[in-house]
Structure formats: structure tokens, C-alpha cells
Amino acid sequence: MDDWCKQAGHGVRFEWGPVGADRLGAEVACLVIVDVLSFTTSVTVAVEAGTRVHPYRWRDESAAAFARQVNAELAVGRRAATSASPWSLSPAALRGAPFTPRLVLPSPNGSAIASAAGDATVVAASLRNAAAVSRWLARKGYGSAERPVAVIASGERWPDGSLRPSLEDLLGAGAVIAGLKGQRCGGTLSPEAAAAAGALLSTPDVGAAVSAGASGRELADAGFAEDVAIATELDGSDVVPVLSAGAFGAAG
């Protein structure tokens, strides 16, 4: 593969979507997934409650089979949640659902990115835990030239399946990157990473921007404004979900 897409030489790198993760996954020591509305926000809510979250790429019949295989409950679509199956991709639904020790959370973007990481450590970040993730990365030595980190904004999808870069994921990624810069992690920011951090730092009210942005309006108009409210609890969580043995759990 040509070197131009690797952002080589920089300790902190930034890309978009599963393809971007695939390009950088083998080049870095740590991959940080950002999917604010709502995969990584939901992961933080579940892991806070003590649940281990298994990411799964497809929301189809195979997801139920996988959940049985790992002895876990299956999260359904937002509108499919019932009293018998109360777990869904909705952070609000997860916050109100009964405790389960293991949960399969289908997500074509977030889970696909996790699977692209190769041997890299995988961390789930959102606006809720960006500061905690940045501190943890710095303590572990990630973000240096020797242990580079790639922050991947998941983005959304257009109806034709193509990637739609999203404001909320740009700002979530920027929050992690700006936090790493503040921690003086030892590595330089790639131009892409610096631009993402700049977007965050130049946004005076991040929560209001996400709520008024396209994805926030889409969820609110569909009746899920509470999901947006939870996703914009800026630095309200200290949990750092790390992928281990196929599931996200809280970092020690």
C-alpha cells in the first residue's frame, strides 16, 4: 500500500470510517473508535453498569446466533425494543434496562472499525468519556512516535450506503485528540488530527452543535432526543472501554 494514506511519522492520527480504520489499523498501536450517535456512547453506558459489550457487524439473523454463542443478550433496533427485549442501540434504553452481564451490540460502523484493528488495542470513545480516554492513552504511552494512536470517526451512512462524515464524530474525535495534545503525549499530530482538534476547540458549545446538527436532529425528530442528551453529557463518564477477548470492558 502507498505510504501517503498512513500519516506516517505522527504519533496521533485521524481518519474516517471502516475504510480509514482498515488503512491505519495495522500501522498503529491503538485504535480509538468514535461513534457518538450512538455506538460508543451506548458502550460507555453499558460498561459503566458492569456489562461486557460484544460488538457485532451485522444486524440480521446471524446476530441472534452470535448472542447465543457468547451467552449474551442481544441489543435490537431502537424501535424494536420491548419489555421482553429492552436492550437496544439507544443509550437511554440501555440506561433504563435491567442489568445483563453480556450484551451483543450490532453496529455496522463501530463494529466494523473494531474488526479492522488487527493487533492494535481498541478503545471506545465518545463525548461522554473523551477526557478519560485521553488521560488513559497518555498513561499507557499511546500517542508517541513509538506507540502511535489512530482516532477513527465512524461517521454515518447516506441512503446509498456511502460514508456521511458527521459533525458529532468529528467533535468527539477532536475532543480525544485535543486531550492527548494537552497531556503532552510526546508525538506530533498529523495534519488531519490537528484539524479535528481545531474543530473541537473552535466550537463554543459542543452540546448545542451536536443537538442542532443533522444527526442530532434526525434522532430528535424520530423521538429519541434523550439519546442526544446522553451523548452530549460532556466528560460525564470516567469509564474507558477497552476491547479484550472480543468484548468491551472497563480498563483497569
Side-chain angles (χ1 to χ4, degrees), residues 103-237:
L103 180 69
V104 171
L105 191 60
S107 167
N109 281 351
S111 296
I113 291 170
S115 68
D119 294 329
T121 299
V122 179
V123 178
S126 67
L127 289 166
R128 297 189 72 242
N129 69 338
V133 168
S134 297
R135 292 192 298 267
W136 184 85
L137 291 169
R139 286 198 304 270
K140 294 294 184 180
Y142 294 119
S144 64
E146 297 75 23
R147 304 188 77 192
V149 58
V151 182
I152 307 296
S154 295
E156 298 293 341
R157 296 285 172 180
W158 290 111
D160 66 0
S162 61
L163 177 71
R164 175 173 70 80
S166 60
L167 173 63
E168 68 276 5
D169 291 345
L170 175 63
L171 295 176
V176 173
I177 294 165
L180 265 173
K181 182 180 180 182
Q183 295 288 326
R184 302 182 184 276
C185 59
T188 60
L189 307 187
S190 71
E192 292 85 353
L200 181 283
L201 295 172
S202 65
T203 302
D205 189 333
V206 172
V210 172
S211 296
S215 302
R217 291 175 61 186
E218 178 187 24
L219 279 181
D221 289 350
F224 297 101
E226 190 176 355
D227 286 350
V228 182
I230 293 172
T232 53
E233 294 172 345
L234 307 181
D235 292 324
S237 174

Side-chain angles (χ1 to χ4, degrees), residues 56-71:
Y56 192 71
R57 184 179 299 197
W58 298 282
R59 183 175 285 120
D60 57 17
E61 293 179 358
S62 68
F66 177 71
R68 290 191 295 270
Q69 177 184 330
V70 297
N71 193 28

